[in-house]
Amino acid sequence: MSNLIEVAITSDTNGALWTCCAWDPQAGTQLCTYKGGGTIPSHGFAFINQQFIITADNSKPLLHIWPVNSQEQVSGLRFVVPGKVTSLAVSPDGVYCVAAVSEIIYIWKISSGDMLAMLSRHYQTVSSLVFTDDGSHFISAGQDGMMLVWKLSSILTSTGYSNQETAPLYSFSDHTLPITDVFISKGGMRAWAASVSLDRTCRIYDLASGTLLLNLVFPEALTSITIDNLDTNVYVGTIDGNIFVFSLQSPPRTREYHLNHETLTTKQRFIGHKGAVTTLSISLDGETLMSGGKDETVHFWHIPSKQIIRTMPHKGSITNAQFVLAPKAMFDQETKLHLMANNFKRMIDTQSINTKNFVVEVLVSHPADASIKRGIGNENIGTINSVGMSSETAVGHVNGTIDLNEVEQLRAEVRRLKKINKDLFEHSVKSIFNNGK
């Protein structure tokens, strides 16, 4: 098993045998099952650093976490959330968890359990949350037909310092019916974002400029979408069980393009599902398409021939099915994985956030380049022009590493500046009162 490059993760609405399951896509055999988490809603599954699986519960206000090499959940932690989660995402660095409860989006820091933000720009249930591959932004889409692009750093830096909610970077409201799925290609904010809706349209946006590139109108309501790794073909699943493919190598000259059953040839269809196609995923080599549907089956398709090469029956409608790179620890049952996490808080502690996220400007010299300045206390920013440093926050993920001595020096500098600030405040207060006398 250790030679597997990819595994397939699936879940269904039954949940009697397991909450989710990892499969060998080549042989169709079970590799590992994860139990005790109920059933998972669509878009309610995510990985934390490829070492832990986190899922939402379809019937309870809980999140469940398993090590990838164990069917038993992480003990000693209880992730209670404000309500039943409708969609879930984790930042690629494993630092932040974003979850939607109906139309409200919550952001937690996994290591501390602190609720960092609560966003309420949607007015109907949020059905999908997706991060860009660099973790700098995420997209929320809902039954209100809106797709919002959020800049994570703007949300985190404004929390606790302003009563005004952070506005999204972009707000797309082109769809007229609920959005059912969202896909972001690779490339950070230079990538494409594609959405599908029950209004039969697939809309592709350029995230760098926030403009609509292409609007594809299909003959059936759309329920799922994926794009291959080369960004050459779009695959959409429909409510009637069809899977259509559209080539982006020779796009139409018009921004809006209508397709019908006559123009969609047999070379552009995958026919095999007997109900709505709920999820789509493409293997790393681009040769295999995995689809799950309400007909309780997961199909593996050979893309060049459009033929089914394997079918895995389930006990309920498929809610999640995706290819993921095989975690190394999945095949080593002896490895003990440790998760730095705390119970999720159900409210934003403004006073605590203001204390922990005390920000000062500090110039840090670096052995290789004295002009480099480091970002500390915000794990997703990387190298920046100023240093936001917390007295209780560890070093974030930046370009390069900072040794422990340097960290202690920075913390000492923060304590010194805090003391100076306190002394200045006390001196000013005493001067004012003395002059008043």
Side-chain angles (χ1 to χ4, degrees):
M1 296 297 180
S2 60
N3 61 343
L4 281 179
I5 299 176
E6 286 181 297
V7 297
I9 306 287
T10 66
S11 67
D12 58 40
T13 57
N14 183 275
L17 300 177
W18 27 259
T19 298
C20 57
C21 182
W23 305 82
D24 179 352
Q26 300 175 7
T29 57
Q30 290 185 5
L31 300 176
C32 190
T33 57
Y34 306 94
K35 302 179 179 180
T39 58
I40 308 174
S42 295
H43 309 113
F45 170 94
F47 272 94
I48 303 176
N49 290 331
Q50 290 295 101
Q51 294 185 338
F52 295 87
I53 291 174
I54 181 170
T55 67
D57 195 309
N58 218 359
S59 59
K60 300 176 182 178
L62 295 173
L63 299 180
H64 304 278
I65 297 183
W66 294 263
V68 293
N69 60 354
S70 173
Q71 65 179 1
E72 301 298 329
Q73 296 184 44
V74 174
S75 60
L77 292 173
R78 186 170 177 81
F79 298 94
V80 181
V81 291
K84 290 188 293 184
V85 172
T86 56
S87 55
L88 175 72
V90 173
S91 59
D93 57 10
V95 175
Y96 302 104
C97 176
V98 180
V101 176
S102 189
E103 73 276 8
I104 309 296
I105 301 171
Y106 298 89
I107 302 178
W108 286 275
K109 188 173 183 179
I110 296 175
S111 60
S112 64
D114 290 333
M115 183 187 290
L116 303 178
M118 185 171 63
L119 309 173
S120 56
R121 288 302 180 102
H122 287 275
Y123 57 88
Q124 289 187 29
T125 300
V126 176
S127 56
S128 184
L129 291 167
V130 186
F131 268 95
T132 57
D133 60 355
D134 63 357
S136 62
H137 296 72
F138 68 90
I139 288 179
S140 62
Q143 295 180 6
D144 52 9
M146 295 178 62
M147 187 172 80
L148 307 180
V149 181
W150 303 90
K151 186 175 182 181
L152 185 60
S153 60
S154 296
I155 297 171
L156 299 180
T157 53
S158 65
T159 302
Y161 299 98
S162 173
N163 293 325
Q164 186 176 2
E165 183 181 297
T166 304
L169 180 64
Y170 302 124
S171 178
F172 304 116
S173 55
D174 302 308
H175 289 290
T176 58
L177 289 176
I179 295 175
T180 51
D181 200 6
V182 172
F183 182 87
I184 304 178
S185 63
K186 300 185 185 304
M189 282 302 285
R190 296 183 179 274
W192 293 343
S195 60
V196 291
S197 168
L198 295 179
D199 64 6
R200 302 187 295 115
T201 63
C202 169
R203 298 178 184 269
I204 301 176
Y205 300 89
D206 176 26
L207 288 181
S209 61
T211 57
L212 175 66
L213 299 177
L214 185 62
N215 178 29
L216 301 173
V217 183
F218 288 85
E220 301 171 10
L222 306 180
T223 52
S224 55
I225 183 173
T226 191
I227 301 177
D228 61 23
N229 292 321
L230 297 178
D231 295 339
T232 56
N233 293 289
V234 177
Y235 299 81
V236 295
T238 74
I239 200 169
D240 294 329
N242 290 311
I243 301 172
F244 296 125
V245 56
F246 182 85
S247 176
L248 298 174
Q249 291 180 304
S250 55
R253 294 182 179 273
T254 57
R255 182 171 293 184
E256 183 170 310
Y257 187 71
H258 290 255
L259 299 100
N260 52 47
H261 288 292
E262 287 71 29
T263 58
L264 289 166
T265 64
T266 56
K267 293 183 179 181
Q268 294 176 276
R269 298 189 188 191
F270 296 78
I271 302 174
H273 282 286
K274 298 179 181 179
V277 179
T278 56
T279 180
L280 293 170
S281 182
I282 294 180
S283 62
L284 189 63
D285 60 7
E287 291 289 320
T288 306
L289 172 69
M290 177 169 56
S291 63
K294 287 192 174 181
D295 56 2
E296 303 182 357
T297 58
V298 172
H299 291 315
F300 291 87
W301 307 79
H302 181 242
I303 291 178
S305 66
K306 308 293 188 298
Q307 298 298 311
I308 298 174
I309 55 178
R310 183 169 293 103
T311 296
M312 296 190 305
H314 286 60
K315 299 293 184 181
S317 298
I318 310 303
T319 55
N320 296 276
Q322 59 180 279
F323 284 107
V324 296
L325 291 176
K328 294 181 179 179
M330 179 177 285
F331 311 111
D332 186 359
Q333 305 297 325
E334 302 300 323
T335 299
K336 299 296 182 183
L337 301 176
H338 300 283
L339 176 65
M340 291 185 61
N342 206 342
N343 295 335
F344 283 1
K345 297 178 182 178
R346 302 185 66 179
M347 296 180 63
I348 299 176
D349 188 347
T350 305
Q351 183 176 2
S352 174
I353 290 175
N354 285 337
T355 302
K356 292 182 179 181
N357 292 330
F358 178 78
V359 178
V360 295
E361 299 293 324
V362 181
L363 176 62
V364 182
S365 62
H366 187 263
D369 184 354
S371 65
I372 295 179
K373 300 178 182 181
R374 301 301 184 91
I376 299 178
N378 198 335
E379 286 83 346
N380 74 307
I381 294 179
T383 303
I384 55 178
N385 292 327
S386 63
V387 177
M389 180 171 178
S390 163
S391 60
E392 299 179 17
T393 306
V395 179
H397 297 294
V398 295
N399 297 332
T401 60
I402 300 178
D403 59 35
L404 295 178
N405 291 333
E406 191 172 0
V407 173
E408 290 302 323
Q409 291 175 6
L410 291 173
R411 286 176 175 164
E413 180 68 6
V414 170
R415 290 193 292 269
R416 186 181 70 83
L417 293 175
K418 281 186 175 181
K419 186 177 184 304
I420 292 174
N421 185 61
K422 180 181 178 183
D423 292 341
L424 287 172
F425 175 79
E426 291 177 352
H427 177 74
S428 301
V429 172
K430 289 179 181 179
S431 299
I432 292 172
F433 280 108
N434 289 335
N435 291 335
K437 292 180 180 180

